[in-house]
Amino acid sequence: MSDRARPVLVVANRLPVSKSPQGWVPSAGGLVTALRPVVEDGGGAWIGWDDDHEGVPAQVDGLACTLRGLRLSGAEVQGYYHGFANRTLWPLLHDLVVTPIIEARWWAVYRDVNERFAQAVDDELDADDEQTMVWVHDYHLMLVPAMLRRRRPRTRIGFFLHVPFPPPELFARLPWRGALLDGLLAADAIGVHTERYRDNLLRTIAHLVADVEVVGDRIRTADGHEVEIVVGPISIDATGFAALATDPETEAELQDLRTQFGDRRVLLGVDRLDYTKGIPNRLEAIEQLLTEHPEHVGRIAFVQIAVPSRDDVREYRELRQQVETEVGRINGRFTHPGSDVPVHYLYRGISRPALAAYYRLADVMCVTPLKDGMNLVAKEFVTVQHAADAGGVLLLSEFCGAALELGGDAVRCNPFDVNGMSTMMDHALALPPADRRERLARMARRIHDHDVFAWVDGQLEALRGRR
Ligand code: ADQ
């Protein structure tokens, strides 16, 4: 078998399929699009939690790979997913934007569930299989590389972290910090989005793990195992999004939106409703903008599209309440009787053509997270705007991975500085059209040249040990 066609087994918290009224269908996200050729070539497979859906089929039409849905008990979902992954690791890895909850019971369940994932991988591989490469994804499964290594000493194991890796002094607060790092270090390649996350991870390992030798991007552990840290900023299917930009369905949605918003200029936010995304700060900045620059009142609209997320977790329910209160307060303050409200808030997921239509409509796309591993919305907006020859501006937080790639041509802001952010919103609205188009063109070129397929190639090349 040629090396390129080595089968790949993906292990992730979620499977790449979702249940629609018509039955099981492949999910639409960029990661699934990118990994599809990789898992489909050479008989690959995907292992993930079945998300409480009984009977996920091993094969789904339109996706030629084997699916293995892992059934988790209620207590496992509570401890592993809602607890340790979402309330301990998520805030810890996002620079403690809320305080992580340290709870030994959740840790025990996280360990047990990671062991179940590792066992499922072992069961999926034939006894003598040394060809298949295993690619583990994200913070839910940080122990899996070591647990699998014990079962499969010769298997190539990769890991990719989709979220940031924090500085050592933050990570060190976790009582189980050593075990998590040992979990990762058993991989052959560990992928992160940016040089900064790589440096944080290397410094953390050097600080907290005994007897490791760090040479450049490679780490040799006490038992002689070598692992490479591979920087690879994830991206989008740029060609797919560029085509979507002028798709007839997108055009039809845009027509409707243009009729509704008339000649008002639109600022847009599109996020999962998550406290890392900085939505309350963004709303405050909008309020400041309307207060300090009354000439904008009635002439701009701020549209926030928020996808429901993790509403089993208390912090997320509280955030939703906070956002909805703020939206009501701002609209109460600035709406003139008979006129339209300044803030439009949609609490739901929307279709891809509708999303592309909003991206086209926006004069200023506000991507202002307090912390974000990468942020794909920024890349989607730029790609759609450029493909449609539009002239919008990207307002981008300096605390997301995308800022390293796009920061030079976006209008950068510090989302913790609400006054500054509102000034930058005003500045973005005033940028001359020619300048906006040049900025968009440079960013779109960069995204096109570093799309999600290039990202997959880079990560898998490192996993094969060829870099
Ligand atoms: P997320 O935190 O989910 O991802 P992001 O990278 O922005 O953040 O991806 C969100 C995706 O959801 C985008 O593709 C977007 O189009 C889609 N989406 C958002 N709102 C939507 C809506 N209302 N309706 C429909 N679709 C919507 C995590 C990390 C990120 C990292 C990615 C990938 O937190 O930092 O970029 O993984 O590694």
Side-chain angles (χ1 to χ4, degrees):
M1 181 182 305
S2 85
D3 206 43
R4 247 200 108 62
R6 280 174 75 163
V8 174
L9 197 168
V10 170
V11 192
N13 180 51
R14 296 291 171 106
L15 288 166
V17 290
S18 30
K19 198 164 190 184
S20 75
Q22 290 76 41
W24 289 93
V25 291
S27 306
L31 187 64
V32 177
T33 311
L35 290 180
R36 174 189 290 246
V38 173
V39 287
E40 288 186 333
D41 276 6
W46 191 308
I47 294 175
W49 168 38
D50 70 6
D51 200 10
D52 287 343
H53 291 293
E54 198 128 16
V56 179
Q59 299 288 337
V60 164
D61 279 351
L63 187 71
C65 85
T66 306
L67 301 172
R68 296 286 180 234
L70 215 62
R71 193 113 264 264
L72 300 181
S73 69
E76 283 175 324
V77 173
Q78 208 49 42
Y80 148 80
Y81 181 67
H82 298 313
F84 198 73
N86 285 340
R87 298 185 79 186
T88 309
L89 283 178
W90 178 264
L92 181 83
L93 296 170
H94 286 87
D95 286 0
L96 320 181
V97 292
V98 313
T99 305
I101 297 172
I102 304 295
E103 176 63 68
R105 279 173 311 158
W106 293 347
W107 162 247
V109 180
Y110 179 85
R111 236 180 13 211
D112 292 348
V113 171
N114 272 239
E115 200 75 72
R116 289 196 55 201
F117 271 91
Q119 187 57 47
V121 177
D122 189 49
D123 292 344
E124 191 60 31
L125 300 173
D126 290 337
D128 57 352
D129 183 350
E130 288 183 4
Q131 276 295 314
T132 301
M133 304 193 295
V134 177
W135 196 10
V136 184
H137 286 263
D138 227 1
Y139 64 99
H140 313 87
L141 302 173
M142 290 170 83
L143 299 174
V144 168
M147 291 170 166
L148 182 59
R149 180 66 67 210
R150 282 200 287 281
R151 295 163 165 89
R152 298 272 173 170
R154 294 172 61 81
T155 295
R156 296 293 294 178
I157 304 171
F159 181 91
F160 191 84
L161 186 67
H162 289 263
V163 296
F165 198 90
E169 54 279 17
L170 299 189
F171 191 75
R173 296 188 187 191
L174 188 69
W176 310 284
R177 59 205 192 176
L180 284 179
L181 294 172
D182 287 344
L184 292 182
L185 285 168
D188 296 290
I190 303 170
V192 290
H193 291 301
T194 71
E195 275 93 9
R196 196 165 301 163
Y197 307 155
R198 175 201 56 199
D199 295 347
N200 285 343
L201 179 56
L202 283 171
R203 286 194 298 134
T204 304
I205 289 166
H207 181 58
L208 294 174
V209 184
D211 300 326
V212 287
E213 198 187 329
V214 178
V215 182
D217 290 349
R218 300 190 76 84
I219 302 152
R220 188 196 297 266
T221 56
D223 60 2
H225 175 72
E226 271 202 19
V227 48
E228 183 186 356
I229 311 227
V230 190
V231 174
I234 201 168
S235 191
I236 60 167
D237 172 7
T239 310
F241 264 97
L244 181 66
T246 51
D247 185 273
E249 268 188 74
T250 304
E251 299 282 0
E253 296 275 359
L254 183 63
Q255 278 295 324
D256 288 351
L257 291 177
R258 287 213 165 117
T259 310
Q260 287 153 24
F261 285 93
D263 54 9
R264 295 217 287 170
R265 302 187 71 197
V266 172
L267 296 98
L268 175 67
V270 173
D271 316 77
R272 266 188 317 100
L273 191 58
D274 192 299
Y275 51 75
T276 59
K277 305 288 183 185
I279 300 170
N281 295 31
R282 194 181 299 159
L283 284 166
E284 264 189 71
I286 291 287
E287 182 174 18
Q288 287 255 352
L289 181 70
L290 295 170
T291 309
E292 308 280 321
H293 297 275
E295 69 275 15
H296 290 313
V297 177
R299 299 221 171 82
I300 61 166
F302 173 59
V303 181
Q304 175 64 53
I305 305 174
V307 199
S309 180
R310 305 181 192 170
D311 53 9
D312 294 313
V313 173
R314 184 165 51 87
E315 289 80 4
Y316 288 76
R317 287 196 301 273
E318 286 172 357
L319 172 70
R320 181 179 171 196
Q321 241 181 11
Q322 186 191 357
V323 167
E324 293 180 358
T325 304
E326 278 291 290
V327 169
R329 202 177 54 74
I330 298 171
N331 281 341
R333 198 176 147 198
F334 292 101
T335 305
H336 294 299
S339 71
D340 203 1
V341 292
V343 180
H344 294 238
Y345 172 66
L346 284 71
Y347 177 66
R348 53 184 170 268
I350 57 175
S351 71
R352 276 166 55 89
L355 185 64
Y358 275 104
Y359 287 152
R360 277 186 63 178
L361 179 76
D363 292 284
V364 181
M365 178 81 223
C366 303
V367 177
T368 62
L370 305 177
K371 191 76 192 176
D372 210 337
M374 173 51 60
N375 193 292
L376 296 176
V377 167
K379 294 185 173 184
E380 293 167 1
F381 166 76
V382 166
T383 303
V384 166
Q385 281 264 321
H386 179 65
D389 201 19
V393 181
L394 176 63
L395 177 70
L396 189 61
S397 159
E398 57 190 270
F399 301 112
C400 65
L404 294 166
E405 288 177 274
L406 309 178
D409 285 305
V411 170
R412 282 170 72 116
C413 70
N414 168 4
F416 294 93
D417 170 12
V418 169
N419 274 329
M421 188 155 53
S422 115
T423 305
M424 286 302 151
M425 285 172 171
D426 187 50
H427 170 67
L429 284 165
L431 275 186
D435 186 12
R436 288 186 224 159
R437 275 171 216 277
E438 283 165 21
R439 287 165 182 253
L440 275 173
R442 284 192 294 268
M443 291 190 283
R445 160 68 44 202
R446 155 89 211 176
I447 295 164
H448 179 268
D449 293 348
H450 296 85
D451 68 359
V452 72
F453 303 104
W455 172 79
V456 167
D457 284 350
Q459 292 295 311
L460 287 186
E461 205 172 297
L463 180 50
R464 284 186 209 103
R466 285 289 176 76
R467 278 156 66 107

